[in-house]
Amino acid sequence: MIKIDHLSTSYSTISGPVHVINDVDFEIYDNEIFGIAGESGCGKTTLLKALYDIIEFPMVVDSGKLILSGEKYGKTFSYETGQIRKTWWNNISYVPQAAQSVLNPIVPLKNQFLDSIPKEDKRYKTKEQTLKRVADYLEELSLSPDLLNAYPFQLSGGMRQRVIIALATFMSPNVVLADEPTTALDVVVQRGILMMLMRLQKQLKNTMVIVSHDMGVHYQVTDRMGIMYSGSLVELGKTEDIFEKPIHPYTKMLVGALPRVGDKSPKTGIPGRPPALTNPPAGCRFAPRCQRATEECRKSVPKLQEVEPGRFAACHLINKNGC
Ligand SMILES: Nc1ncnc2c1ncn2[C@@H]1O[C@H](COP(=O)(O)OP(=O)(O)OP(=O)(O)O)[C@@H](O)[C@H]1O
Ligand SMILES: [Mg+2]
């Protein structure tokens, strides 16, 4: 469905390029909720922007590409980096980070729905027909159709996020990308949003990609996930396997830091910080924070390797020292 083919990207800055995505290579399948996790600044949003083909200056693709392919209404499609934007809303949609601010606060929601529906969508002949379908769709999502007459500034943060998700899924896209969809919302609202995304995925049987720095969100919602560290994918696999038996020392730290109901043992934070992308260390970028790092780790970059079927990790210690 989405093939990320040896993708490397950078940001052009006055002090030279800052490499943010480094040779990321994996696939996201049909009919799954795929999670992308990692600390702030590791490149999650940059990767999602590349998936959505928002590659605009200062972001540059240095090498590799993305291929979005699938089938909709009996027709197959395939788009590469540079073409994916032709199919925005229809085959792929995007809920950006801090999405709450993407709605124009002083334009009624009905106009924002009408503006987002591609002109080539011929399903509804008149504006009234389109709005009737939007109202029905809101009802299907347990939202009031009266919202269409409201202005975004009148809605709570949680309600605005639900409306944005409704907007992003109205055209039944094959892929929905959601960047930190629950950040800045209280836990009850967060749960409601996650349930909404899960329900929609079951209904559409499509692909959802959820970016979150919150491992708890991945545990609750995603089927498979990738862990990013300093612009690289360091682990990939089924979410339950990653939580049950993390392989990469960084994933072990992320999973170990997650509180669990009933577990009163003290939690250890993750010592240190990710390296500055402007001046990353040689070798494995996690080595300066890894208690088991060896000379090899400080010298050469570990490649992502298949450890078990469908389970990948990038660490020199695999099969050594019980990594
Ligand atoms: N327009 C830009 N110009 C230069 N550097 C940028 C630009 N946008 C992002 N970066 C850098 O790229 C790196 C990755 O940023 P990105 O937003 O992808 O991280 P993230 O994992 O989504 O972080 P967060 O969890 O805080 O949202 C950061 O170091 C950031 O400073
Ligand atoms: Mg981000």
Side-chain angles (χ1 to χ4, degrees):
M1 167 55 51
I2 309 180
K3 184 166 174 44
I4 298 125
D5 185 6
H6 294 282
L7 185 76
S8 296
T9 72
S10 56
Y11 288 103
S12 299
T13 70
I14 35 172
S15 20
V18 179
H19 299 283
V20 173
I21 302 294
N22 305 306
D23 195 25
V24 168
D25 187 70
F26 70 104
E27 284 173 20
I28 302 175
Y29 307 138
D30 285 334
N31 198 6
E32 72 168 348
I33 304 188
F34 187 87
I36 301 173
E39 276 165 292
S40 186
C42 68
K44 304 181 297 296
T45 296
T46 306
L47 180 61
L48 220 57
K49 281 185 177 166
L51 293 181
Y52 198 54
D53 209 11
I54 325 178
I55 300 159
E56 286 160 357
F57 188 82
M59 185 176 160
V60 181
V61 172
D62 298 316
S63 55
K65 63 180 178 194
L66 290 143
I67 305 162
L68 168 73
S69 59
E71 191 194 314
K72 188 169 179 182
Y73 305 137
K75 274 192 183 166
T76 56
F77 62 86
S78 179
Y79 298 93
E80 286 190 8
T81 298
Q83 306 171 329
I84 293 172
R85 52 180 60 214
K86 287 187 197 158
T87 191
W88 280 356
W89 302 101
N90 208 355
N91 293 126
I92 186 165
S93 67
Y94 178 54
V95 177
Q97 189 162 4
Q100 317 252 347
S101 54
V102 299
L103 294 174
N104 186 333
I106 52 161
V107 174
L109 284 170
K110 63 178 172 197
N111 297 38
Q112 309 209 31
F113 267 93
L114 288 172
D115 288 348
S116 71
I117 297 166
K119 301 278 175 287
E120 63 274 18
D121 182 31
K122 306 277 191 302
R123 285 181 297 172
Y124 316 108
K125 296 213 165 40
T126 63
K127 221 177 180 182
E128 288 65 36
Q129 277 181 355
T130 309
L131 283 175
K132 170 79 179 71
R133 178 64 198 115
V134 173
D136 291 347
Y137 185 61
L138 291 178
E139 276 198 317
E140 281 165 37
L141 298 179
S142 315
L143 298 171
S144 165
D146 294 342
L147 283 170
L148 288 174
N149 292 316
Y151 291 85
F153 76 84
Q154 296 172 311
L155 309 182
S156 66
M159 192 54 79
R160 245 179 288 161
Q161 189 68 312
R162 283 170 195 268
V163 168
I164 291 162
I165 293 168
L167 197 61
T169 52
F170 177 66
M171 301 283 294
S172 311
N174 299 58
V175 177
V176 178
L177 310 171
D179 196 351
E180 304 281 1
T182 58
T183 305
L185 299 173
D186 72 62
V187 282
V188 177
V189 179
Q190 266 192 23
R191 177 130 189 93
I193 300 282
L194 293 177
M195 301 297 283
M196 181 181 182
L197 288 169
M198 286 169 87
R199 214 178 98 194
L200 274 163
Q201 194 280 329
K202 278 215 168 69
Q203 205 173 303
L204 297 168
K205 294 196 173 37
N206 67 353
T207 303
M208 286 214 180
V209 182
I210 296 186
V211 159
S212 180
H213 63 270
D214 182 346
M215 289 294 277
V217 166
H218 294 288
Y219 186 72
Q220 288 179 67
V221 179
T222 62
D223 302 310
R224 287 195 313 135
M225 65 184 298
I227 311 281
M228 286 189 72
Y229 187 76
S230 188
S232 301
L233 193 70
V234 295
E235 188 155 351
L236 173 72
K238 277 194 187 151
T239 302
E240 53 181 296
D241 295 343
I242 285 186
F243 277 87
E244 232 164 71
K245 197 171 154 271
I247 296 173
H248 196 284
Y250 179 57
T251 317
K252 285 183 180 166
M253 284 187 182
L254 287 180
V255 171
L258 192 70
R260 283 170 205 242
V261 177
D263 177 7
K264 299 229 166 42
S265 63
K267 294 288 152 211
T268 46
I270 302 177
R273 317 179 47 182
L277 291 168
T278 40
N279 186 21
C284 172
R285 292 193 177 180
F286 188 63
R289 292 170 88 185
C290 182
Q291 287 168 357
R292 284 178 286 168
T294 62
E295 216 32 54
E296 185 187 17
C297 304
R298 282 182 267 273
K299 277 192 188 139
S300 79
V301 179
K303 285 212 168 357
L304 195 70
Q305 52 173 297
E306 193 160 15
V307 182
E308 288 163 20
R311 193 72 197 287
F312 297 79
C315 177
H316 288 306
L317 301 173
I318 291 170
N319 300 329
K320 292 175 209 158
N321 304 337
C323 178

